[in-house]
Amino acid sequence: MVYELTYSRGDKVYPVVVTVKRIKNIIFRYRDAKFFVSVPRYIAQKVIYSYLDRYSDRLLARDAKATSPYVDDQLYLLGAKVNLFAGEGIKNVFVFGDSLYYKDEKDYDRKMRKFAQEYFTGRVRYYEEVMKIRQPYDVKVRNMKTRFGTNSRKMHALTFQVRLIHFRPDIIDAIVIHELAHDHNFNHGHGFYEELLKYCPNYKILVKKLKRGEFA
């Protein structure tokens, strides 16, 4: 038997396709903006919703990693669509107006990493001053698979996923503030969240948009 439900998460409503099978465990998948749930017989809808509350963020986060910032012939950069001009690279120019200029894929990767590192470093320096952090952090950019940002106490360095540069500035700031909040609270306890929400009150909303792959 197959039937449909709807599930609200934040400001979005998702279709949920439920398939009843001869199985023992509940199985969740997310694709094409829908949740697909396989359930054993006689499972109440409230149980399905409770499992969605528990696992939906994880499923949406996986989907966000697969979401492409490319739309037709454009690309999201800092949450805004820009035009791409491949094969027209100028040595020291990448962003000009609402367009990106690069010679080839290698040139694009080099320039994008440089742009991202400079942007992230600027935001880190700004919030270090706001949050009264005395020792400036080293800022790095990497292609990380599971995280958008990390804080290394040993190296006193912040590392950001290069893909983060495609999201709008307040989403990027939320991740910057998160990592800097670990300067005094190297865990996710009460003190950490008190510090985080002091400087980013809508952190939870912004991170949900990030996990969903909402660039703009």
Side-chain angles (χ1 to χ4, degrees):
M1 181 176 69
V2 179
Y3 62 94
E4 290 196 15
L5 302 171
T6 56
Y7 175 69
S8 298
R9 196 71 174 163
D11 58 351
K12 293 194 71 174
V13 178
Y14 299 90
V16 180
V17 179
V18 180
T19 304
V20 180
K21 296 182 176 181
R22 290 182 178 179
I23 55 177
K24 293 182 178 181
N25 300 313
I26 299 177
I27 301 171
F28 289 87
R29 299 186 305 279
Y30 179 79
R31 68 173 187 271
D32 301 327
K34 290 183 180 181
F35 288 101
F36 293 85
V37 187
S38 297
V39 300
R41 294 179 179 180
Y42 312 118
I43 291 292
Q45 290 184 11
K46 66 179 182 180
V47 175
I48 296 173
Y49 283 121
S50 69
Y51 272 76
L52 282 167
D53 287 340
R54 189 184 306 175
Y55 296 113
S56 60
D57 279 349
R58 190 181 305 174
L59 292 171
L60 290 168
R62 289 178 186 171
D63 187 69
K65 291 181 179 65
T67 303
S68 173
Y70 292 92
V71 180
D72 298 325
D73 294 327
Q74 294 181 305
L75 173 77
Y76 278 107
L77 183 69
L78 298 176
K81 290 181 182 178
V82 294
N83 301 307
L84 301 173
F85 289 93
E88 300 185 29
I90 304 171
K91 185 175 181 180
N92 295 316
V93 175
F94 183 45
V95 181
F96 186 78
D98 62 352
S99 302
L100 303 183
Y101 293 86
Y102 54 97
K103 289 189 295 186
D104 50 31
E105 186 175 345
K106 183 178 180 180
D107 190 43
Y108 169 88
D109 288 340
R110 179 182 64 81
K111 288 180 175 178
M112 183 60 80
R113 281 177 175 272
K114 183 174 184 293
F115 178 85
Q117 181 155 14
E118 289 177 352
Y119 184 85
F120 296 152
T121 300
R123 301 315 292 161
V124 169
R125 296 291 174 259
Y126 172 79
Y127 280 106
E128 283 174 337
E129 184 174 348
V130 170
M131 299 169 72
K132 297 179 174 56
I133 293 173
R134 294 181 179 180
Q135 183 181 351
Y137 277 85
D138 186 18
V139 179
K140 302 178 181 181
V141 174
R142 287 177 52 198
N143 282 319
M144 297 188 291
K145 292 183 179 180
T146 59
R147 297 183 179 184
F148 286 100
T150 62
N151 181 319
S152 170
R153 174 178 282 184
K154 181 179 179 180
M155 303 299 295
H156 198 71
L158 304 183
T159 302
F160 298 99
Q161 185 186 113
V162 65
R163 173 182 167 77
L164 187 62
I165 198 64
H166 301 298
F167 291 87
R168 69 191 210 199
D170 56 347
I171 292 177
I172 296 174
D173 283 355
I175 302 303
V176 169
I177 294 167
H178 178 116
E179 299 310 328
L180 287 175
H182 282 306
D183 189 72
H184 301 300
N185 302 276
F186 215 75
N187 54 41
H188 290 99
H190 176 75
F192 167 80
Y193 280 104
E194 189 174 49
E195 177 85 353
L196 172 60
L197 296 176
K198 176 181 177 181
Y199 296 103
C200 188
N202 57 342
Y203 173 80
K204 292 182 180 179
I205 295 173
L206 294 172
V207 167
K208 283 181 180 179
K209 292 181 179 295
L210 173 65
K211 289 179 177 180
R212 293 172 186 156
E214 296 179 11
F215 297 102

